[in-house]
């Protein structure tokens, strides 16, 4: 009976490990497709994904936080730079941490739905994700503090 339990635990652990590597592969593909710099990936603690076409409020909320954050990468799915500029009333080139996904990679990888998402990162690797909002960002920051500074792993 004990051998059976160990094999179930081992198989479950391998399954979870394969899921995590799949998340990392998705992140890497997304970063490659939109052109995020390697140094920025390793310094980022958060990735915010937003479906830009038709979500003016989400983009404006993100734009209000962009200048305050040096540890967050924003990827916005939008048809073109021109579309983003019209929705946001800002020029995309003014931001060093905002990237456009004009090829719908976010949708293809199922990394954005109707509600924007915040992905928690550690050295460019997936840790967890939640919905975009002040509460989830604060919780994610606390998790990064515990994970990086204190070495706490739940």
């Amino acid at each position: 009976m004990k051998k059976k339990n160990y094999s179930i635990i081992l198989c479950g652990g391998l399954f979870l490990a394969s899921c995590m590597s799949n998340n990392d592969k998705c992140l890497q593909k997304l970063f490659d497709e939109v052109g995020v710099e390697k140094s920025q990936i390793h310094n980022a603690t958060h990735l915010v994904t937003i479906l830009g076409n038709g979500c003016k409020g989400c983009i404006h909320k993100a734009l209000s936080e962009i200048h305050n954050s040096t540890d967050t990468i924003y990827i916005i799915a939008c048809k073109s730079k021109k579309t983003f500029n019209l929705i946001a009333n800002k020029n995309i080139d003014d931001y060093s941490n905002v990237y456009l996904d004009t090829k719908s990679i976010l949708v293809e990888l199922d990394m954005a739905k109707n509600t924007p998402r915040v992905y928690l990162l550690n050295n460019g690797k997936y840790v967890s994700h939640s919905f975009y909002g002040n509460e989830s960002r604060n919780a994610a920051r606390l998790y990064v503090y515990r994970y990086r500074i204190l070495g706490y792993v739940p």
Side-chain angles (χ1 to χ4, degrees), residues 56 59-60 63 82-91 95:
K56 267 187 162 178
I59 291 177
H60 287 289
L63 290 176
K82 183 178 180 181
T83 304
F84 174 83
N85 294 345
L86 289 171
I87 292 172
N89 294 326
K90 303 268 184 176
N91 189 343
Y95 303 103

Side-chain angles (χ1 to χ4, degrees), residues 2 7 21 40 51 67 74 83 93 104 119 127 130 146 151:
K2 287 188 179 188
S7 62
S21 63
Q40 197 171 15
L51 293 178
H67 290 295
Y74 294 85
T83 304
D93 298 324
S104 297
Y119 290 83
V127 176
S130 61
R146 286 181 178 167

Side-chain angles (χ1 to χ4, degrees), residues 3-18:
K3 279 187 176 182
K4 196 176 199 179
N5 288 341
Y6 289 125
S7 62
I8 291 172
I9 292 171
L10 179 62
C11 289
L14 290 174
F15 175 73
L16 289 175
S18 68

